[in-house]
Amino acid sequence: MTKTHTFHIPVMGIGFTIDSPLKVSRFGIDSVISLVDDILIEKMRKMYCQKLKMPYDEITDKIEDFRAKRITSYLNLMQTLSENKFEEFKNATIKTKNDINEFFTTISDDAPLKKEFLKMTKTKFNLNEIGGWLKDNLKMGAIDVNIMTKVDKDNYHKNEKLPTEFNDAHAALRGFANSNVNSSVVLSAGMNPRLYAYIEQFKDFYPDIEGRIKKKIILKVSDYRSALIQGKFLAKKGIWVSEYRIESGLNCGGHAFATDGYLLGPVLEEFKSKRAELHKTIQEVLFQTLKHKDCIIPKVDLDLKISAQGGVGTSVEHQFLLEYYHIDSVGWGTPFLLVPEATTVDNKTLDQLIEAKEDDVYLSDISPLGVPFNNLRGNTKDIEKKTFIDKGRPGSACPKKFVALNKEFTEKGICTASRQYQHLKIKALDQDNLSQEDYDKQYKKIIEKTCTCVGLGTSALLAYDLDTKVEGKGVSVCPGPNIAYFSKQMSLKEITKAIYDTTKNITRADRPNMFIKELHIYMDYLEKKIEDATTLKTPKEVKYLKTFISNLNGGIDYYLQLFKTELHKIDNQTRIMIDLENYKLKLNSLNV
């Protein structure tokens, strides 16, 4: 039987989905753990072992390869505990007819499992027969992991630089590869050739004769070209990409990797039309490589999935993505921050998310990675940052150093949100003899950075009442703009039913369609780019802006055509068409 659900829970922050598989995998829901923070991971392992009275041997930072070993041990623990909960769930679900019927109310009518169930129970309901069948066919949700490929800091032992394989992302990959879980690693934040080449060292990433792969690759991408380039690169190493996860460039949580005006709809359309070509092209490269490496060549075509995420908020939108674009799974991220049964958020942050309105979520420059970052105003990490600034000591103590990548002033990388970097950068700024206006502008850019590698994990520590002496109590939180339209805490059953049932709307009545919301965000982004550009724009700036406008125009034309024929599958048809025409007029009035 195929998977139970047509949605997944993407990685959120560092700590918000740190133990989500333990909460939701027994229901057949896939979720993703961030592997950025091995310190948090070790604290979580210790907590669960003590809570469940299981043996715990601490993996200290004095142990060789401690980062990879911490990750392996935690994933093995998650696997064991999740499997136990899955067996308990199966046994509980098949006890009575009511239990079984209730379970199927949380599954889409289109799910093969539900279709088979309805077929089997059309004339009679034999509890033993149905219970046995269900127990055999229920599938546990995946314990997937996420690695941000560019967060790959060099590491040292006694001031001696360690080999590349001990870099942060490499060690995280090794930790996953050595674990017992049979699932996927989601590679995000762009291409890292050294890391990609390292994957081929682990046998679990290679297919067997039947095309089965123990540990799969999911690539998070924002356009087709990126998928093709990265897919081919990995295929030349003998590694198959099992899934391309397409995310909106700006209408998403966390880091926002803006495209040059390419909107989600046209990107999905290209994947839809070229899916077979993508599969054939990359599989041919892969099989040639496997032959050259004298590896097993599968006797069947390999599975290729396409998923999408970014701003989805209604069952109508969910179903449209599945039916029109032939998406295999839809990512529901931000709304799940309001579901304690699925994610881990401390009470204060949860209350802030519930109260959040449109203006409370903004595209910021706070990330030390230098990438736009969707941020919630008034979060406690930013309040902590302001306190340091007011005391004349801007910057973080940088206790974890996961994003210590800048080598502008030092041989070893330091983080742009750190007190050390900001002190050196401000000192250099003082020597530049700038006007007060230019100085203030540059100074603001320096001190704006926030210690997100700590702040994005602290919520989990607070939620479980764990020690925060090193981290402090400041929480960074990174919802997508979609959070403004969800205004209450929800149960897992409530949100799951709302994903599948068009009568169960859980959003504000004035919520815009996901495609229109993304267009609005891109328009704001473009206007800011035009405003920030110099008065005498360089040819490069002019070319970029004109390309951006052209791509947005093409996206609007695509939607105008699409919604003329597909309107019956979309909410608020009249409003959508009016919005598209208005945005087109506004776009054509921009002067570059």
Side-chain angles (χ1 to χ4, degrees):
M1 221 23 103
T2 55
K3 58 188 287 187
T4 308
H5 291 284
T6 55
F7 73 89
H8 61 271
I9 303 175
V11 68
M12 285 185 279
I14 292 173
F16 301 119
T17 55
I18 192 71
D19 56 350
S20 289
L22 187 55
K23 298 181 177 187
V24 303
S25 63
R26 64 185 179 276
F27 306 116
I29 301 170
D30 298 345
S31 59
V32 186
I33 297 171
S34 168
L35 297 187
V36 166
D37 189 347
D38 61 282
I39 301 169
L40 171 64
I41 282 170
E42 183 66 9
K43 286 185 176 183
M44 293 293 293
R45 186 172 74 89
K46 180 180 181 181
M47 179 200 75
Y48 274 114
C49 286
Q50 290 180 341
K51 182 180 178 181
L52 300 171
K53 295 180 170 53
M54 298 173 68
Y56 170 74
D57 292 318
E58 183 181 2
I59 301 172
T60 71
D61 58 9
K62 302 293 187 287
I63 294 173
E64 185 182 0
D65 203 21
F66 65 87
R67 177 170 167 81
K69 288 174 180 175
R70 284 172 172 177
I71 289 167
T72 299
S73 296
Y74 183 68
L75 293 178
N76 288 346
L77 177 66
M78 286 291 104
Q79 176 80 7
T80 299
L81 298 181
S82 296
E83 285 177 344
N84 291 343
K85 282 185 174 289
F86 183 52
E87 288 304 315
E88 290 171 8
F89 171 72
K90 284 195 292 185
N91 291 332
T93 300
I94 63 173
K95 277 185 177 179
T96 69
K97 179 179 178 180
N98 285 341
D99 288 332
I100 293 174
N101 283 329
E102 177 59 26
F103 167 72
F104 278 102
T105 65
T106 64
I107 294 179
S108 167
D109 290 342
D110 296 324
L113 188 73
K114 189 166 185 177
K115 286 181 177 178
E116 183 65 19
F117 168 72
L118 294 174
K119 183 179 172 184
M120 291 177 70
T121 56
K122 193 171 183 179
T123 54
K124 65 174 183 176
F125 194 112
N126 183 310
L127 182 60
N128 288 334
E129 180 187 350
I130 296 299
W133 166 81
L134 187 57
K135 195 170 183 180
D136 290 341
N137 285 283
L138 280 178
K139 183 180 177 185
M140 194 173 96
I143 304 173
D144 292 332
V145 302
N146 174 248
I147 294 176
M148 290 187 72
T149 57
K150 300 295 176 66
V151 182
D152 197 23
K153 171 179 62 70
D154 298 332
N155 284 306
Y156 293 77
H157 179 65
K158 295 182 179 178
N159 289 320
E160 184 177 332
K161 187 176 176 182
L162 294 172
T164 303
E165 67 196 64
F166 291 99
N167 286 11
D168 278 0
H170 284 68
L173 179 73
R174 183 166 57 258
F176 170 68
N178 290 335
S179 73
N180 297 331
V181 300
N182 292 338
S183 58
S184 303
V185 54
V186 182
L187 299 173
S188 64
M191 186 167 169
N192 180 340
R194 286 194 306 181
L195 182 67
Y196 285 11
Y198 186 53
I199 298 171
E200 63 180 316
Q201 294 192 22
F202 301 99
K203 60 182 178 59
D204 281 0
F205 288 100
Y206 291 87
D208 66 12
I209 193 71
E210 300 294 336
R212 294 180 296 251
I213 304 173
K214 287 184 179 179
K215 290 185 170 64
K216 301 182 180 69
I217 301 291
I218 297 175
L219 272 187
K220 192 190 287 188
V221 295
S222 54
D223 60 69
Y224 180 83
R225 181 174 175 272
S226 173
L228 183 62
I229 291 170
Q230 294 187 71
K232 276 187 176 179
F233 184 94
L234 284 162
K236 288 175 182 177
K237 304 292 181 185
I239 304 299
W240 177 250
V241 176
S242 297
E243 180 180 330
Y244 294 91
R245 186 159 289 179
I246 306 154
E247 184 171 74
S248 167
L250 292 178
N251 192 17
C252 58
H255 289 96
F257 295 88
T259 64
D260 292 346
Y262 293 111
L263 298 172
L264 183 61
V267 171
L268 293 176
E269 186 72 51
E270 186 171 13
F271 272 92
K272 175 184 173 182
S273 64
K274 295 180 179 178
R275 183 170 183 163
E277 178 187 338
L278 179 71
H279 188 288
K280 181 175 181 293
T281 301
I282 295 179
Q283 184 172 276
E284 286 176 354
V285 174
L286 177 81
F287 283 5
Q288 287 172 5
T289 304
L290 293 174
K291 182 179 180 182
H292 180 72
K293 289 166 73 93
D294 200 24
C295 294
I296 292 171
I297 300 173
K299 64 182 182 181
V300 297
D301 286 336
L302 297 175
D303 286 339
L304 175 66
K305 291 183 169 59
I306 305 292
S307 57
Q309 59 196 40
V312 183
T314 68
S315 61
V316 173
E317 291 172 352
H318 180 90
Q319 204 61 30
F320 182 75
L321 292 174
L322 296 175
E323 292 178 359
Y324 182 75
Y325 292 112
H326 305 157
I327 295 299
D328 295 292
S329 181
V330 179
W332 282 66
T334 292
F336 270 96
L337 288 171
L338 305 182
V339 185
E341 292 172 71
T343 55
T344 302
V345 183
D346 65 281
N347 289 333
K348 185 172 182 179
T349 303
L350 181 60
D351 289 341
Q352 285 182 302
L353 290 166
I354 289 170
E355 295 300 322
K357 302 295 185 287
E358 285 94 334
D359 291 341
D360 293 321
V361 179
Y362 69 106
L363 200 60
S364 73
D365 292 315
I366 70 165
S367 172
L369 291 177
V371 177
F373 183 84
N374 273 312
N375 195 35
L376 183 69
R377 294 187 198 279
N379 69 75
T380 52
K381 195 66 180 175
D382 282 353
I383 292 171
E384 177 186 278
K385 175 179 70 175
K386 187 177 183 306
T387 302
F388 292 143
I389 294 169
D390 291 344
K391 287 180 178 178
R393 286 173 54 77
S396 161
C398 199
K400 294 189 174 179
K401 296 180 171 54
F402 294 122
V403 198
L405 303 170
N406 186 285
K407 297 183 179 180
E408 185 179 349
F409 300 108
T410 55
E411 185 180 340
K412 290 183 184 178
I414 54 177
C415 178
T416 57
S418 71
R419 188 166 298 141
Q420 180 186 6
Y421 174 84
Q422 293 188 9
H423 171 73
L424 293 169
K425 191 70 173 174
I426 292 168
K427 194 174 174 183
L429 182 66
D430 290 339
Q431 307 300 315
D432 286 345
N433 297 317
L434 298 176
S435 68
Q436 190 62 48
E437 183 182 350
D438 287 342
Y439 180 93
D440 291 345
K441 190 175 180 181
Q442 293 303 317
Y443 181 82
K444 184 182 177 184
K445 283 184 179 179
I446 295 168
I447 65 171
E448 191 170 12
K449 303 304 180 190
T450 296
C451 182
T452 52
C453 80
V454 170
L456 289 172
T458 304
S459 189
L461 297 176
L462 296 173
Y464 291 120
D465 198 25
L466 300 178
D467 177 43
T468 58
K469 188 194 302 185
V470 172
E471 295 85 355
K473 295 186 181 297
V475 174
S476 297
V477 60
C478 52
N482 215 11
I483 194 66
Y485 309 107
F486 296 84
S487 305
K488 66 172 184 173
Q489 183 175 315
M490 293 175 280
S491 68
L492 182 59
K493 185 180 290 185
E494 184 179 8
I495 192 170
T496 303
K497 286 184 176 181
I499 289 171
Y500 295 131
D501 187 348
T502 56
T503 66
K504 307 282 187 185
N505 194 2
I506 52 175
T507 67
R508 270 172 32 190
D510 62 344
R511 177 186 175 276
N513 170 270
M514 60 176 285
F515 295 123
I516 298 299
K517 182 64 178 180
E518 184 197 40
L519 175 57
H520 173 79
I521 297 167
Y522 265 99
M523 288 292 294
D524 285 348
Y525 183 82
L526 172 62
E527 289 178 306
K528 188 174 186 302
K529 283 287 183 186
I530 293 172
E531 183 183 318
D532 290 346
T534 56
T535 307
L536 296 172
K537 299 180 185 69
T538 65
K540 185 178 179 181
E541 286 176 322
V542 172
K543 182 181 178 182
Y544 169 78
L545 292 172
K546 285 187 174 179
T547 300
F548 202 105
I549 290 171
S550 175
N551 290 334
L552 280 185
N553 249 321
I556 292 173
D557 288 340
Y558 166 83
Y559 285 138
L560 285 168
Q561 187 61 38
L562 173 72
F563 294 146
K564 280 178 184 174
T565 56
E566 298 290 334
L567 275 178
H568 62 286
K569 298 178 181 177
I570 294 291
D571 291 322
N572 304 317
Q573 296 98 319
T574 305
R575 178 182 166 187
I576 287 173
M577 298 303 280
I578 292 171
D579 285 343
L580 287 170
E581 293 289 359
N582 287 338
Y583 278 123
K584 190 165 185 67
L585 289 171
K586 185 176 181 180
L587 189 62
N588 292 331
S589 70
L590 294 176
N591 185 13
V592 296

